[in-house]
Amino acid sequence: MRNLTKHLVFLLLIFVVQTASSTVFAKKSKPNILIIMADDCTFSDLPLYGGKNVKTPRIDKLASQGIAFNKAYVTMSMCVPCRAELYTGMQPAHNGVCWNHSIARTGTKSIVHYLADLGYRTGIAGKVHASPKDVFPFDMVEGVERNSVSETANYDGDKLKEFISKDLDQPFCLVTALVVPHIPWTVGDASHFDPQKLKLPPYLADTKETRENFARYLAEIEVLDQQVGATLDLLKEANIEENTIVIFTSEQGAQLPFCKWTNWENGVHTGFIVRWPGKVIPGSRTDALVQYADVLPTLIDALDGKPNGDFDGSSFLPVLLGEKNSHRQYAYFMHNNVPEGPPYPIRSITDGEHHYIRNLTPKNLYIEKHLMARMPLNQYWPSWIFESASNSEIHELVMRYMRRPSEELYNLKNDSNEMSNLAGNKEMQPIKNRLSAELDKWMKQQGDPGAVIDSHEEFRNAKKGNHFLMEK
């Protein structure tokens, strides 16, 4: 009897040890998540998306190891709204971040909450630009410059490594929010570029100041590429590269005319790469239409969680797994100009082939105070104004930027830089009418009343947590 008891105890111990080991293995088998964000990097300036002026070997290598999205978008081409969208899975009118430098509605859940429910610790290194703290309770990770307008872009991989290796039994999500290539374009070596040999996109006026500023911007993209590479190397050093989902995104367009603070393609289109060893086909590309609001539901789905009904986005996991090459039928965009300038509300929509833009107050002049103010490191716009007096092409660009029609329509396949407005073309009316109707549906669904939101009063109220009464 005594021997039988010992035998049973022995078997029980084996069972306990095996169960504990299985639990630890299950924890370790959950993939880690690394999200690397650029800051104000126009997607079309990256070689991956056709850029001709700067080389990004580490970003290109990452794309060769994962899937690159050709049609990924932010809803608002401003730092705070687009990050809030990424972290909450909600678009601006839903999460309350309808203006730059505003705060999310109290009670909104973010990536930190959702991943905590799945056993993850979630930290952020670098630029935060998301508040209040109870909505975005990230662990603060040191090692990356947090001030996006700093003249430095400090980076200390050892600090990031501390977070990564803090608890190897618990999976992590780390957002590495870099501050390059956000202005003031003071890091990197601009001497790598000859301003006179740069291939300027057609939406930029060809002035000496534009070329010099563009060279400094490209130098920061070089630094971005280096910091992306250094961050990826940390995974290899920790021997967790094969068990980590990596997302790289370029955020919205640069602080140049027709990019950031606009609904044009080079403002709202973002570079987007996902690497997931063993799951994503290396070197693949997709035309699936996705937005930042889709990212959080996708991550939850990938971790075998249940994306809830609060999201404006939905999971594109089948696209990542190579099971589908389509996702959204439409992507939607919003712009409220306060506090970056006088009110100038814009709404727009794309089906991936055509882009319809509605300027809600077309009689107003468009003014963006940061871009148009003369600063020591931002002299391109004054040069546009000066040269427009004698250069008709530059004058046309200035007028196009500041004085906009009520409607715009572009064929993205034939006119990726959106230089030819087709809204008045009779043959395009069916497409314009369809997109216009779908835009109306989205605004109604979001509870977006349109132009009345874009006011200093509503912005001040939102900063106090008293958001405009908008219901999904």
Side-chain angles (χ1 to χ4, degrees), residues 91-133:
Q91 291 173 309
H94 192 182
N95 63 33
V97 187
C98 296
W99 311 262
N100 212 13
H101 308 294
S102 59
I103 66 174
R105 283 193 178 86
T106 301
T108 302
K109 293 178 67 176
S110 73
I111 188 172
V112 186
H113 303 101
Y114 289 110
L115 293 190
D117 291 343
L118 296 173
Y120 281 70
R121 54 192 176 92
T122 301
I124 188 167
K127 180 174 176 175
V128 179
H129 256 41
S131 61
K133 181 70 174 178

mmCIF file of all heavy atoms in Angstrom, residues 91-133:
data_model
loop_
_atom_site.group_PDB
_atom_site.id
_atom_site.type_symbol
_atom_site.label_atom_id
_atom_site.label_comp_id
_atom_site.label_asym_id
_atom_site.label_seq_id
_atom_site.Cartn_x
_atom_site.Cartn_y
_atom_site.Cartn_z
ATOM 1 N N GLN A 91 -11.971 55.479 -35.057
ATOM 2 C CA GLN A 91 -11.686 56.677 -35.832
ATOM 3 C C GLN A 91 -12.012 57.925 -35.006
ATOM 4 O O GLN A 91 -12.620 57.832 -33.929
ATOM 5 C CB GLN A 91 -12.440 56.607 -37.155
ATOM 6 C CG GLN A 91 -11.855 55.510 -38.050
ATOM 7 C CD GLN A 91 -12.638 55.265 -39.315
ATOM 8 O OE1 GLN A 91 -13.850 55.079 -39.274
ATOM 9 N NE2 GLN A 91 -11.961 55.222 -40.455
ATOM 10 N N PRO A 92 -11.572 59.108 -35.471
ATOM 11 C CA PRO A 92 -11.575 60.308 -34.626
ATOM 12 C C PRO A 92 -12.898 60.675 -33.969
ATOM 13 O O PRO A 92 -12.931 60.970 -32.771
ATOM 14 C CB PRO A 92 -11.104 61.406 -35.587
ATOM 15 C CG PRO A 92 -10.226 60.682 -36.555
ATOM 16 C CD PRO A 92 -10.884 59.359 -36.764
ATOM 17 N N ALA A 93 -13.990 60.681 -34.731
ATOM 18 C CA ALA A 93 -15.258 61.094 -34.142
ATOM 19 C C ALA A 93 -15.744 60.107 -33.091
ATOM 20 O O ALA A 93 -16.573 60.448 -32.248
ATOM 21 C CB ALA A 93 -16.318 61.257 -35.230
ATOM 22 N N HIS A 94 -15.222 58.885 -33.128
ATOM 23 C CA HIS A 94 -15.610 57.855 -32.171
ATOM 24 C C HIS A 94 -14.774 57.926 -30.901
ATOM 25 O O HIS A 94 -15.306 57.905 -29.792
ATOM 26 C CB HIS A 94 -15.495 56.476 -32.830
ATOM 27 C CG HIS A 94 -16.123 55.369 -32.038
ATOM 28 N ND1 HIS A 94 -16.084 54.061 -32.447
ATOM 29 C CD2 HIS A 94 -16.802 55.367 -30.856
ATOM 30 C CE1 HIS A 94 -16.704 53.307 -31.564
ATOM 31 N NE2 HIS A 94 -17.138 54.068 -30.594
ATOM 32 N N ASN A 95 -13.437 58.029 -31.052
ATOM 33 C CA ASN A 95 -12.598 58.093 -29.844
ATOM 34 C C ASN A 95 -12.475 59.512 -29.291
ATOM 35 O O ASN A 95 -11.950 59.712 -28.204
ATOM 36 C CB ASN A 95 -11.209 57.481 -30.088
ATOM 37 C CG ASN A 95 -10.388 58.220 -31.137
ATOM 38 O OD1 ASN A 95 -10.477 59.433 -31.286
ATOM 39 N ND2 ASN A 95 -9.570 57.480 -31.872
ATOM 40 N N GLY A 96 -12.965 60.504 -30.032
ATOM 41 C CA GLY A 96 -12.979 61.878 -29.549
ATOM 42 C C GLY A 96 -11.797 62.726 -29.966
ATOM 43 O O GLY A 96 -11.796 63.941 -29.748
ATOM 44 N N VAL A 97 -10.773 62.115 -30.573
ATOM 45 C CA VAL A 97 -9.573 62.870 -30.949
ATOM 46 C C VAL A 97 -9.750 63.394 -32.373
ATOM 47 O O VAL A 97 -9.200 62.864 -33.340
ATOM 48 C CB VAL A 97 -8.311 61.995 -30.819
ATOM 49 C CG1 VAL A 97 -7.055 62.847 -31.043
ATOM 50 C CG2 VAL A 97 -8.249 61.341 -29.451
ATOM 51 N N CYS A 98 -10.542 64.446 -32.481
ATOM 52 C CA CYS A 98 -10.889 65.024 -33.784
ATOM 53 C C CYS A 98 -10.006 66.202 -34.170
ATOM 54 O O CYS A 98 -10.229 66.819 -35.210
ATOM 55 C CB CYS A 98 -12.348 65.492 -33.774
ATOM 56 S SG CYS A 98 -13.546 64.188 -33.562
ATOM 57 N N TRP A 99 -9.048 66.550 -33.332
ATOM 58 C CA TRP A 99 -8.156 67.682 -33.574
ATOM 59 C C TRP A 99 -6.756 67.278 -33.121
ATOM 60 O O TRP A 99 -6.590 66.384 -32.298
ATOM 61 C CB TRP A 99 -8.575 68.908 -32.754
ATOM 62 C CG TRP A 99 -10.023 69.264 -32.826
ATOM 63 C CD1 TRP A 99 -10.607 70.215 -33.611
ATOM 64 C CD2 TRP A 99 -11.102 68.693 -32.055
ATOM 65 N NE1 TRP A 99 -11.962 70.274 -33.394
ATOM 66 C CE2 TRP A 99 -12.291 69.345 -32.444
ATOM 67 C CE3 TRP A 99 -11.177 67.695 -31.084
ATOM 68 C CZ2 TRP A 99 -13.526 69.030 -31.900
ATOM 69 C CZ3 TRP A 99 -12.410 67.368 -30.546
ATOM 70 C CH2 TRP A 99 -13.572 68.040 -30.941
ATOM 71 N N ASN A 100 -5.757 67.941 -33.634
ATOM 72 C CA ASN A 100 -4.413 67.690 -33.123
ATOM 73 C C ASN A 100 -4.304 68.241 -31.699
ATOM 74 O O ASN A 100 -4.962 69.216 -31.344
ATOM 75 C CB ASN A 100 -3.370 68.351 -34.024
ATOM 76 C CG ASN A 100 -2.075 67.559 -34.064
ATOM 77 O OD1 ASN A 100 -2.016 66.413 -33.635
ATOM 78 N ND2 ASN A 100 -1.032 68.166 -34.600
ATOM 79 N N HIS A 101 -3.500 67.581 -30.886
ATOM 80 C CA HIS A 101 -3.262 67.985 -29.499
ATOM 81 C C HIS A 101 -4.524 67.919 -28.638
ATOM 82 O O HIS A 101 -4.659 68.648 -27.664
ATOM 83 C CB HIS A 101 -2.657 69.398 -29.427
ATOM 84 C CG HIS A 101 -1.445 69.570 -30.295
ATOM 85 N ND1 HIS A 101 -0.266 68.898 -30.060
ATOM 86 C CD2 HIS A 101 -1.243 70.311 -31.415
ATOM 87 C CE1 HIS A 101 0.612 69.220 -30.992
ATOM 88 N NE2 HIS A 101 0.047 70.071 -31.827
ATOM 89 N N SER A 102 -5.452 67.036 -29.006
ATOM 90 C CA SER A 102 -6.647 66.853 -28.188
ATOM 91 C C SER A 102 -6.553 65.516 -27.453
ATOM 92 O O SER A 102 -5.595 64.755 -27.644
ATOM 93 C CB SER A 102 -7.915 66.919 -29.047
ATOM 94 O OG SER A 102 -7.893 65.928 -30.053
ATOM 95 N N ILE A 103 -7.553 65.217 -26.614
ATOM 96 C CA ILE A 103 -7.493 64.020 -25.794
ATOM 97 C C ILE A 103 -8.667 63.096 -26.115
ATOM 98 O O ILE A 103 -9.705 63.540 -26.612
ATOM 99 C CB ILE A 103 -7.491 64.363 -24.289
ATOM 100 C CG1 ILE A 103 -8.827 64.996 -23.876
ATOM 101 C CG2 ILE A 103 -6.335 65.302 -23.956
ATOM 102 C CD1 ILE A 103 -8.955 65.225 -22.376
ATOM 103 N N ALA A 104 -8.481 61.821 -25.815
ATOM 104 C CA ALA A 104 -9.529 60.835 -26.057
ATOM 105 C C ALA A 104 -10.609 60.928 -24.988
ATOM 106 O O ALA A 104 -10.377 61.427 -23.883
ATOM 107 C CB ALA A 104 -8.936 59.432 -26.072
ATOM 108 N N ARG A 105 -11.786 60.417 -25.334
ATOM 109 C CA ARG A 105 -12.886 60.381 -24.380
ATOM 110 C C ARG A 105 -12.552 59.486 -23.189
ATOM 111 O O ARG A 105 -12.033 58.372 -23.358
ATOM 112 C CB ARG A 105 -14.152 59.857 -25.051
ATOM 113 C CG ARG A 105 -14.855 60.852 -25.939
ATOM 114 C CD ARG A 105 -16.252 60.328 -26.286
ATOM 115 N NE ARG A 105 -16.967 61.303 -27.101
ATOM 116 C CZ ARG A 105 -16.871 61.386 -28.412
ATOM 117 N NH1 ARG A 105 -16.080 60.551 -29.055
ATOM 118 N NH2 ARG A 105 -17.541 62.293 -29.090
ATOM 119 N N THR A 106 -12.877 59.934 -22.014
ATOM 120 C CA THR A 106 -12.703 59.125 -20.816
ATOM 121 C C THR A 106 -13.498 57.830 -20.960
ATOM 122 O O THR A 106 -14.634 57.839 -21.425
ATOM 123 C CB THR A 106 -13.181 59.889 -19.569
ATOM 124 O OG1 THR A 106 -12.429 61.105 -19.462
ATOM 125 C CG2 THR A 106 -13.007 59.056 -18.311
ATOM 126 N N GLY A 107 -12.876 56.743 -20.563
ATOM 127 C CA GLY A 107 -13.537 55.446 -20.658
ATOM 128 C C GLY A 107 -13.189 54.677 -21.914
ATOM 129 O O GLY A 107 -13.515 53.491 -22.020
ATOM 130 N N THR A 108 -12.518 55.331 -22.870
ATOM 131 C CA THR A 108 -12.095 54.641 -24.084
ATOM 132 C C THR A 108 -11.004 53.633 -23.739
ATOM 133 O O THR A 108 -10.107 53.920 -22.950
ATOM 134 C CB THR A 108 -11.563 55.646 -25.116
ATOM 135 O OG1 THR A 108 -12.578 56.608 -25.413
ATOM 136 C CG2 THR A 108 -11.145 54.951 -26.399
ATOM 137 N N LYS A 109 -11.068 52.453 -24.321
ATOM 138 C CA LYS A 109 -10.042 51.432 -24.106
ATOM 139 C C LYS A 109 -9.030 51.479 -25.240
ATOM 140 O O LYS A 109 -9.367 51.796 -26.384
ATOM 141 C CB LYS A 109 -10.674 50.039 -24.017
ATOM 142 C CG LYS A 109 -11.539 49.820 -22.794
ATOM 143 C CD LYS A 109 -12.169 48.436 -22.792
ATOM 144 C CE LYS A 109 -11.143 47.341 -22.630
ATOM 145 N NZ LYS A 109 -11.765 45.990 -22.532
ATOM 146 N N SER A 110 -7.790 51.176 -24.910
ATOM 147 C CA SER A 110 -6.717 51.208 -25.898
ATOM 148 C C SER A 110 -6.005 49.867 -25.962
ATOM 149 O O SER A 110 -6.327 48.916 -25.240
ATOM 150 C CB SER A 110 -5.720 52.312 -25.557
ATOM 151 O OG SER A 110 -4.945 51.940 -24.428
ATOM 152 N N ILE A 111 -4.994 49.815 -26.787
ATOM 153 C CA ILE A 111 -4.190 48.615 -26.974
ATOM 154 C C ILE A 111 -3.642 48.088 -25.654
ATOM 155 O O ILE A 111 -3.507 46.865 -25.472
ATOM 156 C CB ILE A 111 -3.036 48.894 -27.973
ATOM 157 C CG1 ILE A 111 -2.304 47.606 -28.344
ATOM 158 C CG2 ILE A 111 -2.086 49.958 -27.459
ATOM 159 C CD1 ILE A 111 -1.292 47.799 -29.473
ATOM 160 N N VAL A 112 -3.351 48.979 -24.731
ATOM 161 C CA VAL A 112 -2.805 48.554 -23.429
ATOM 162 C C VAL A 112 -3.816 47.682 -22.697
ATOM 163 O O VAL A 112 -3.471 46.625 -22.153
ATOM 164 C CB VAL A 112 -2.418 49.771 -22.574
ATOM 165 C CG1 VAL A 112 -1.727 49.308 -21.292
ATOM 166 C CG2 VAL A 112 -1.520 50.726 -23.354
ATOM 167 N N HIS A 113 -5.068 48.094 -22.672
ATOM 168 C CA HIS A 113 -6.111 47.333 -21.983
ATOM 169 C C HIS A 113 -6.381 46.002 -22.681
ATOM 170 O O HIS A 113 -6.456 44.956 -22.029
ATOM 171 C CB HIS A 113 -7.414 48.137 -21.937
ATOM 172 C CG HIS A 113 -7.287 49.478 -21.286
ATOM 173 N ND1 HIS A 113 -7.189 50.636 -22.024
ATOM 174 C CD2 HIS A 113 -7.242 49.841 -19.984
ATOM 175 C CE1 HIS A 113 -7.094 51.658 -21.202
ATOM 176 N NE2 HIS A 113 -7.126 51.216 -19.959
ATOM 177 N N TYR A 114 -6.546 46.051 -23.995
ATOM 178 C CA TYR A 114 -6.897 44.838 -24.729
ATOM 179 C C TYR A 114 -5.803 43.779 -24.641
ATOM 180 O O TYR A 114 -6.090 42.584 -24.478
ATOM 181 C CB TYR A 114 -7.188 45.174 -26.194
ATOM 182 C CG TYR A 114 -8.472 45.937 -26.393
ATOM 183 C CD1 TYR A 114 -8.456 47.277 -26.783
ATOM 184 C CD2 TYR A 114 -9.709 45.334 -26.186
ATOM 185 C CE1 TYR A 114 -9.640 47.984 -26.966
ATOM 186 C CE2 TYR A 114 -10.895 46.030 -26.368
ATOM 187 C CZ TYR A 114 -10.847 47.360 -26.754
ATOM 188 O OH TYR A 114 -12.026 48.048 -26.933
ATOM 189 N N LEU A 115 -4.536 44.215 -24.745
ATOM 190 C CA LEU A 115 -3.457 43.236 -24.682
ATOM 191 C C LEU A 115 -3.210 42.754 -23.255
ATOM 192 O O LEU A 115 -2.782 41.608 -23.054
ATOM 193 C CB LEU A 115 -2.180 43.818 -25.291
ATOM 194 C CG LEU A 115 -2.223 44.092 -26.797
ATOM 195 C CD1 LEU A 115 -0.834 44.432 -27.324
ATOM 196 C CD2 LEU A 115 -2.803 42.920 -27.576
ATOM 197 N N ALA A 116 -3.486 43.598 -22.276
ATOM 198 C CA ALA A 116 -3.368 43.148 -20.881
ATOM 199 C C ALA A 116 -4.325 41.994 -20.617
ATOM 200 O O ALA A 116 -3.998 41.036 -19.908
ATOM 201 C CB ALA A 116 -3.648 44.302 -19.930
ATOM 202 N N ASP A 117 -5.517 42.064 -21.204
ATOM 203 C CA ASP A 117 -6.495 40.978 -21.052
ATOM 204 C C ASP A 117 -5.982 39.679 -21.659
ATOM 205 O O ASP A 117 -6.445 38.586 -21.283
ATOM 206 C CB ASP A 117 -7.818 41.360 -21.724
ATOM 207 C CG ASP A 117 -8.550 42.483 -20.994
ATOM 208 O OD1 ASP A 117 -8.218 42.743 -19.820
ATOM 209 O OD2 ASP A 117 -9.443 43.100 -21.610
ATOM 210 N N LEU A 118 -5.024 39.793 -22.579
ATOM 211 C CA LEU A 118 -4.459 38.604 -23.220
ATOM 212 C C LEU A 118 -3.104 38.228 -22.631
ATOM 213 O O LEU A 118 -2.390 37.390 -23.186
ATOM 214 C CB LEU A 118 -4.321 38.855 -24.728
ATOM 215 C CG LEU A 118 -5.642 39.078 -25.479
ATOM 216 C CD1 LEU A 118 -5.372 39.497 -26.929
ATOM 217 C CD2 LEU A 118 -6.492 37.814 -25.451
ATOM 218 N N GLY A 119 -2.763 38.870 -21.505
ATOM 219 C CA GLY A 119 -1.541 38.507 -20.792
ATOM 220 C C GLY A 119 -0.297 39.265 -21.189
ATOM 221 O O GLY A 119 0.818 38.856 -20.848
ATOM 222 N N TYR A 120 -0.458 40.399 -21.858
ATOM 223 C CA TYR A 120 0.692 41.163 -22.348
ATOM 224 C C TYR A 120 1.009 42.373 -21.472
ATOM 225 O O TYR A 120 0.120 42.973 -20.878
ATOM 226 C CB TYR A 120 0.427 41.664 -23.775
ATOM 227 C CG TYR A 120 0.619 40.616 -24.843
ATOM 228 C CD1 TYR A 120 -0.273 39.550 -24.959
ATOM 229 C CD2 TYR A 120 1.679 40.677 -25.729
ATOM 230 C CE1 TYR A 120 -0.109 38.577 -25.933
ATOM 231 C CE2 TYR A 120 1.856 39.715 -26.720
ATOM 232 C CZ TYR A 120 0.957 38.667 -26.810
ATOM 233 O OH TYR A 120 1.137 37.705 -27.770
ATOM 234 N N ARG A 121 2.293 42.713 -21.433
ATOM 235 C CA ARG A 121 2.716 44.012 -20.909
ATOM 236 C C ARG A 121 3.014 44.894 -22.110
ATOM 237 O O ARG A 121 3.604 44.439 -23.093
ATOM 238 C CB ARG A 121 3.929 43.886 -19.993
ATOM 239 C CG ARG A 121 5.115 43.174 -20.606
ATOM 240 C CD ARG A 121 6.177 42.815 -19.575
ATOM 241 N NE ARG A 121 7.260 42.055 -20.187
ATOM 242 C CZ ARG A 121 8.372 42.586 -20.692
ATOM 243 N NH1 ARG A 121 8.548 43.900 -20.640
ATOM 244 N NH2 ARG A 121 9.304 41.834 -21.232
ATOM 245 N N THR A 122 2.602 46.151 -22.050
ATOM 246 C CA THR A 122 2.714 47.030 -23.218
ATOM 247 C C THR A 122 3.427 48.319 -22.837
ATOM 248 O O THR A 122 3.003 49.026 -21.926
ATOM 249 C CB THR A 122 1.317 47.351 -23.791
ATOM 250 O OG1 THR A 122 0.667 46.130 -24.151
ATOM 251 C CG2 THR A 122 1.421 48.237 -25.016
ATOM 252 N N GLY A 123 4.497 48.607 -23.546
ATOM 253 C CA GLY A 123 5.274 49.809 -23.273
ATOM 254 C C GLY A 123 5.428 50.672 -24.502
ATOM 255 O O GLY A 123 5.196 50.221 -25.633
ATOM 256 N N ILE A 124 5.820 51.915 -24.258
ATOM 257 C CA ILE A 124 6.063 52.839 -25.368
ATOM 258 C C ILE A 124 7.380 53.563 -25.137
ATOM 259 O O ILE A 124 7.652 54.067 -24.042
ATOM 260 C CB ILE A 124 4.898 53.839 -25.547
ATOM 261 C CG1 ILE A 124 5.077 54.658 -26.827
ATOM 262 C CG2 ILE A 124 4.748 54.750 -24.336
ATOM 263 C CD1 ILE A 124 3.835 55.442 -27.234
ATOM 264 N N ALA A 125 8.207 53.579 -26.166
ATOM 265 C CA ALA A 125 9.467 54.324 -26.149
ATOM 266 C C ALA A 125 9.365 55.423 -27.186
ATOM 267 O O ALA A 125 8.832 55.216 -28.273
ATOM 268 C CB ALA A 125 10.637 53.394 -26.464
ATOM 269 N N GLY A 126 9.872 56.606 -26.844
ATOM 270 C CA GLY A 126 9.839 57.713 -27.790
ATOM 271 C C GLY A 126 8.609 58.570 -27.637
ATOM 272 O O GLY A 126 8.066 58.741 -26.545
ATOM 273 N N LYS A 127 8.133 59.094 -28.752
ATOM 274 C CA LYS A 127 7.016 60.032 -28.768
ATOM 275 C C LYS A 127 5.729 59.357 -28.304
ATOM 276 O O LYS A 127 5.368 58.288 -28.800
ATOM 277 C CB LYS A 127 6.863 60.574 -30.190
ATOM 278 C CG LYS A 127 5.749 61.579 -30.387
ATOM 279 C CD LYS A 127 5.823 62.139 -31.795
ATOM 280 C CE LYS A 127 4.696 63.079 -32.115
ATOM 281 N NZ LYS A 127 4.857 63.708 -33.444
ATOM 282 N N VAL A 128 5.033 59.992 -27.369
ATOM 283 C CA VAL A 128 3.795 59.417 -26.846
ATOM 284 C C VAL A 128 2.596 60.029 -27.571
ATOM 285 O O VAL A 128 1.871 59.354 -28.283
ATOM 286 C CB VAL A 128 3.677 59.613 -25.329
ATOM 287 C CG1 VAL A 128 2.372 59.027 -24.817
ATOM 288 C CG2 VAL A 128 4.868 58.962 -24.616
ATOM 289 N N HIS A 129 2.367 61.326 -27.367
ATOM 290 C CA HIS A 129 1.304 62.047 -28.079
ATOM 291 C C HIS A 129 -0.039 61.320 -27.994
ATOM 292 O O HIS A 129 -0.740 61.182 -28.996
ATOM 293 C CB HIS A 129 1.711 62.250 -29.548
ATOM 294 C CG HIS A 129 2.164 63.659 -29.836
ATOM 295 N ND1 HIS A 129 2.957 64.354 -28.978
ATOM 296 C CD2 HIS A 129 1.937 64.490 -30.892
ATOM 297 C CE1 HIS A 129 3.218 65.545 -29.490
ATOM 298 N NE2 HIS A 129 2.586 65.662 -30.642
ATOM 299 N N ALA A 130 -0.362 60.834 -26.810
ATOM 300 C CA ALA A 130 -1.647 60.169 -26.604
ATOM 301 C C ALA A 130 -2.049 60.362 -25.147
ATOM 302 O O ALA A 130 -1.283 60.040 -24.247
ATOM 303 C CB ALA A 130 -1.558 58.681 -26.940
ATOM 304 N N SER A 131 -3.217 60.923 -24.921
ATOM 305 C CA SER A 131 -3.694 61.167 -23.567
ATOM 306 C C SER A 131 -5.228 61.103 -23.571
ATOM 307 O O SER A 131 -5.852 61.137 -24.631
ATOM 308 C CB SER A 131 -3.192 62.543 -23.077
ATOM 309 O OG SER A 131 -3.678 63.578 -23.917
ATOM 310 N N PRO A 132 -5.822 60.924 -22.370
ATOM 311 C CA PRO A 132 -5.251 60.926 -21.030
ATOM 312 C C PRO A 132 -4.604 59.588 -20.668
ATOM 313 O O PRO A 132 -4.772 58.592 -21.376
ATOM 314 C CB PRO A 132 -6.465 61.199 -20.139
ATOM 315 C CG PRO A 132 -7.606 60.585 -20.904
ATOM 316 C CD PRO A 132 -7.299 60.830 -22.349
ATOM 317 N N LYS A 133 -3.918 59.596 -19.532
ATOM 318 C CA LYS A 133 -3.165 58.436 -19.102
ATOM 319 C C LYS A 133 -4.054 57.224 -18.858
ATOM 320 O O LYS A 133 -3.647 56.090 -19.130
ATOM 321 C CB LYS A 133 -2.387 58.790 -17.825
ATOM 322 C CG LYS A 133 -1.523 57.658 -17.269
ATOM 323 C CD LYS A 133 -0.331 57.369 -18.147
ATOM 324 C CE LYS A 133 0.586 56.352 -17.505
ATOM 325 N NZ LYS A 133 1.748 56.000 -18.359
#
